Amino acid sequence: MTAAGLVPGRLLIVTAVAAEAEAVQAGVNAGSADPATVHVAPVGVGPAAAAAGTARLLTLAEAAGVPYRAVISAGIAGGFPGRADVGATVLGARTIAADLGAESDDGFLPIEELGFGTSILEADPTLLEFLTAALPHAVIGDILTLATVTGTAATTAALQARHPAAVAEAMEGYGVASAAASVPFAELRTISNPIGPRDRAAWRLREAFSALTEAAAAACG
């Protein structure tokens, strides 16, 4: 069974940018799933654009009478050193809006402590179980969503301390998960760079896109 066949209906895979969508589409095309059952689309960078773009696609499909039955947020990401190496594939057990909250003299306060909701959204267990089986070498853990990605050692250390189960950070997962609402959701990422001080020379975009294509092929094969 493929991810597309996991539930009746169509599967929506959303990415931030076109290059990610192209890498995912190449994997879908290489798999055995009926292409008509899998829709890959870039919806924009950041949680707000991702939420709005995903909600639009879900609404249009519902109105047309061909609703999506599951949503996967896919793309490349930064990996926490020692938790997810460059080139690795990661799956989010939970998607966490890591900068949704407030500063205080005692440190960062997540939105839960402010009484305004939750910053943590869990992956659909059935969809996550399938993806874990299809991608047995994937690293499983929390994936952080941030509007401002990490670029210093101090922020990296603070995030690692606050989120001991986090393996990667990206910018869209929480927005996609919020838009998905009751539609089964999961997040899949491949690691292009270590999280920490920005060093473009250490980024491995080609390897990450290749891993993304392989992961999509396994999920749809």
Side-chain angles (χ1 to χ4, degrees), residues 104-208:
S104 78
D105 291 335
D106 297 321
F108 180 79
L109 299 175
I111 196 171
E112 289 86 349
E113 294 187 27
L114 303 177
F116 295 145
T118 181
S119 61
I120 301 172
L121 298 174
E122 295 189 3
D124 177 78
T126 301
L127 186 55
L128 179 61
E129 181 180 6
F130 167 79
L131 290 172
T132 301
L135 300 163
H137 300 298
V139 178
I140 314 266
D142 295 338
I143 299 179
L144 307 184
T145 298
L146 295 104
T148 301
V149 295
T150 304
T152 67
T155 301
T156 302
L159 287 172
Q160 286 179 313
R162 291 209 319 263
H163 302 285
V167 295
E169 71 168 21
M171 302 180 74
E172 293 79 32
Y174 187 84
V176 176
S178 297
S182 61
V183 177
F185 162 84
E187 185 169 6
L188 183 159
R189 299 278 174 179
T190 55
I191 304 303
S192 61
N193 59 279
I195 294 170
R198 291 179 66 80
D199 178 10
R200 291 299 296 267
W203 291 17
R204 297 292 181 266
L205 294 177
R206 181 179 299 177
E207 291 88 336

Side-chain angles (χ1 to χ4, degrees), residues 13-17 19-21 23-24 40 72-78 88-91 143 168-173 186-192 205 208-209 211-213 215-216:
I13 305 178
V14 295
T15 69
V17 298
E20 293 169 319
V24 171
V40 183
I72 295 175
S73 177
I76 63 175
T89 296
V90 301
L91 295 170
I143 299 179
E169 71 168 21
M171 302 180 74
E172 293 79 32
E187 185 169 6
L188 183 159
R189 299 278 174 179
T190 55
I191 304 303
S192 61
L205 294 177
F209 283 129
L212 190 59
T213 295

